[in-house]
Amino acid sequence: MVTKQLPIVAVYAGTFDPLTNGHKDIIERASRLFDRLIIGISEKSKQGELFSLNEREEMLKEALEGIVGSIEVTRFDGLLVHFVRSVGAKLIVRGLRATSDYDYEAQMALMNKRLASDIETVFLMTSENCSFISSSIVKEVARNRGDISGLVPINVARRLAQHYKV
Ligand code: COA
């Protein structure tokens, strides 16, 4: 008997305030591993965002133009596992930059597993050249007129320059 393989749908979620080359690296690699990759922009964050939800969504869509693979960008509110279910996915993709990410990631993965035992979290090791990047560090460098080329996609660098009037 031939069993039909269902498409593998994965979710990569974050605040993306703003998208960095570290996120983009994970997105590009994950899009080659799964049949569909859904990027979920969290509507709420702990810190208060620099960019509005619309701006974050626009930046992501612009930066991901040209990436081969089935990628969709959308927003979500509430629990990640509820969003994952609502889009018919079974996988959450996370990037691991360094051992310092481990505790936080383990806590999230275990809580998500407790909330939804049918959903798995898979981790991709961030590429070496992106391992030191975070959205806050990029904002700090941009705010202080430092060079952020190579840390974020060009469209994001332009938005940061406009924002900080560099
Ligand atoms: N490369 C570079 N930077 C990365 C990165 C990568 N591969 N992965 C993460 N980062 C950075 C982000 O830019 C961010 O930087 P910042 O703190 O300087 O802004 C930081 O690491 C944290 O990112 P992330 O872990 O993705 O957190 P987030 O706040 O962007 O998103 C959610 C976290 C939205 C996925 C999580 O809060 C969530 O699931 N929320 C929904 C509510 C919920 O379900 N809660 C229960 C879950 S346990």
Side-chain angles (χ1 to χ4, degrees):
M1 193 177 77
V2 180
T3 46
K4 204 171 160 223
Q5 181 98 34
L6 291 172
I8 302 174
V9 186
V11 165
Y12 182 54
T15 313
F16 304 111
D17 184 45
L19 173 80
T20 68
N21 281 345
H23 299 124
K24 198 175 168 196
D25 162 61
I26 298 291
I27 293 169
E28 281 174 334
R29 288 162 53 210
S31 72
R32 293 196 290 267
L33 292 173
F34 308 112
D35 298 309
R36 266 174 79 208
L37 181 67
I38 297 166
I39 319 283
I41 309 173
S42 172
E43 294 191 10
K44 293 209 181 74
S45 85
K46 299 155 216 151
Q47 300 150 340
E49 302 84 15
L50 177 68
F51 292 107
S52 70
L53 191 54
N54 282 342
E55 287 175 308
R56 286 181 278 139
E57 186 172 4
E58 277 167 23
M59 281 189 279
L60 261 158
K61 286 183 172 166
E62 283 164 15
L64 301 183
E65 268 169 28
I67 294 188
V68 185
S70 174
I71 301 177
E72 290 152 51
V73 178
T74 184
R75 312 155 170 212
F76 79 99
D77 199 7
L79 287 179
L80 178 58
V81 289
H82 291 167
F83 171 64
V84 171
R85 280 227 179 94
S86 73
V87 295
K90 290 265 185 220
L91 290 175
I92 297 168
V93 179
R94 301 288 299 164
L96 272 184
R97 288 167 297 172
T99 48
S100 51
D101 282 345
Y102 178 82
D103 287 349
Y104 172 65
E105 292 299 336
Q107 197 181 17
M108 283 225 305
L110 292 171
M111 178 55 80
N112 285 330
K113 192 77 188 161
R114 189 175 188 278
L115 294 168
S117 59
D118 54 325
I119 295 172
E120 295 291 345
T121 303
V122 294
F123 295 97
L124 295 185
M125 199 69 213
T126 303
S127 296
E128 209 179 341
N129 57 336
C130 298
S131 60
F132 62 97
I133 306 174
S134 77
S135 300
S136 332
I137 213 162
V138 164
K139 285 183 277 192
E140 190 179 330
V141 174
R143 187 171 60 244
N144 291 292
R145 314 275 189 273
D147 180 12
I148 53 162
S149 55
L151 305 180
V152 290
I154 289 167
N155 67 312
V156 175
R158 271 195 224 110
R159 296 256 187 160
L160 282 164
Q162 277 164 10
H163 187 87
Y164 292 119
K165 304 199 170 37
V166 177

